Amino acid sequence: MTSVLAVASEVIPLVKTGGLADVAGALPGALAPHGVAVRTLLPGYPAVMAALIDGAVVARFDDLFGGPARILAATARGLDLLVLDAPHLYARDGGLYAGPDGSDWADNAFRFAALGYAAAEIGRGAASLPAPQIVHLHDWQAGLAGAYLAYGPGPRPKTVATIHNMAFQGWFPESMREALRLPPEAMAIEGVEYFGGVGFLKAALQFADHITTVSPTYACEILQPDAGLGLDGLLRARAADVSGILNGIDTNVWNPEADSALPAPFSAANLEGREASRRALAQSFGLDLGDGPLFGVVSRLSSQKGLDLLAEAAPTLLESGGSLALIGSGEAWLEDRFRALAEANPGRIGAFIGYDERRAHLLQAGADAVLVPSRFEPCGLTQLCALRYGAVPVVARVGGLADTVIDANPAALAAGVATGLQFPSGDQAALEAALRRVAALHAEPETWRRIQRNGMRSDVSWNASAAVYADLYRRLAGPV
Ligand SMILES: Nc1ncnc2c1ncn2[C@@H]1O[C@H](COP(=O)(O)OP(=O)(O)O[C@H]2O[C@H](CO)[C@@H](O)[C@H](O)[C@H]2O)[C@@H](O)[C@H]1O
């Protein structure tokens, strides 16, 4: 068995704001059959503390950035957890990263430095647990662990850093360096220094033995300034240690043959059952079903996701006979935009502002096509759910979207391998052309069904990628 400590700031089914939680929650189970035992360290937010079944104290800190703390080894919802119980940092109402007013918690640097500090202590064997062979850091929130391991006493486990989204980097002013328990020499280009301050993601990428991101195409994109967002230089220097490993989805949770959120089961071999979901979806969004395609969107509403382009392209969607059901929440101006579109187009556009897991399942099962017009997308999970549920993904050709959907171009159609549609990202005219292509393909039932079936038969599970992570861990851990 290879032993891994995963460090993440959100993990399903306990706490989630986005795709990071899906991945951190699903990977341990997917890795187990590959001989990898994962324990996951996460902050003791109120929702996490409330879910703990048992809890043995494996480490105590008299003062962890402003108050006492302990690490509890526990199980919850089938996960093997290490929970950082630090009430002064986590026991509060509000979001994981922001307070009730929507602005970031003022002490986020300490909240996540503490997570990294605890990870480093466990990593070097200072807790009453066997030290893991590998410490796997997810995103900036875990990043400072790399620095604490590098500057602290040995022994040092091997480390992997995974980038789920380069847009969130965790930057804090240099004046915090000492309070963050980083030595003066850390403020150097080969340390944690980043644009004159302390960079948490920078620290992860600087010190990790290996860097992964969540698709091969995004792994290339982040070597360039547009997607690298300031860290591309470091990544280019470390390019030999950077790889892309695609995310998967939990195919037991996402299984159209046994999903209690759907009115009837269906499969690639029996697509007829899908019609009941299509009708139920239209009904719940107040949409009139015509002959045109029923488009769906399930997304955080942020500029990353390119949904402002979709709002602009709404007239084209409607002119080509389509209708739209959207589930999303996020930036207020985008929420308002889709609310207004729904009000102006009753029966044709419906918007549910918020998030509801069962509703998302019904949308994937009932939509003809699911739109993902992202400006950048490290991997993307919604298009994988769409493939599995026979909703044809219509995606921007970036990051993991480019790696997981086969565009219905003439060559792919002739070879019978198309699974969706792609279009150039960040371009409203290209999105509009894609909407028209969808309408044309949807009008050819046989071609459309072929695309749906191909998608449903593509492997979107964790199987292949879990094997790649397991090989990476074993290579880093070396012979036992
Ligand atoms: N309004 C809402 N509220 C709460 N949840 C919502 C929501 N709308 C959608 N979701 C859910 O959040 C997840 C979204 O995952 P994605 O991978 O598509 O994007 P995200 O940008 O969050 O993740 C980042 O990390 C993941 C994981 O590596 C990468 O796939 C991705 O490209 C990267 O941007 C899905 O489980 C989806 O159902």
Side-chain angles (χ1 to χ4, degrees), residues 287 291-297 307 309-326 338 341 345 347-350 369-371 373 394 428 431-440:
L287 302 175
D291 291 338
L294 170 52
F295 289 95
V297 169
L307 292 165
L309 300 169
L310 177 62
E312 294 300 319
T316 303
L317 185 151
L318 296 171
E319 275 158 30
S320 45
S323 50
L324 173 68
L326 173 138
F338 281 100
L341 275 169
N345 298 282
R348 299 293 299 279
I349 297 182
V370 162
L371 291 163
V394 180
Q428 187 189 326
L431 169 58
E432 289 173 353
L435 294 171
R436 290 192 199 96
R437 274 176 72 205
V438 171

Side-chain angles (χ1 to χ4, degrees), residues 164 213-222 227 244-247 304 372 374-381 383-384 395-405 422-425:
H164 294 269
T213 187
V214 289
S215 70
T217 293
Y218 195 60
C220 293
E221 290 169 348
I222 57 177
I245 306 175
L246 274 180
N247 288 335
Q304 170 188 347
V372 193
S374 307
R375 290 193 165 82
F376 70 93
E377 196 59 77
C379 179
L381 300 174
Q383 84 281 11
L384 302 180
V395 304
R397 191 179 299 118
V398 280
L401 300 174
D403 290 337
T404 52
V405 173
Q422 294 187 351
F423 58 92
S425 74

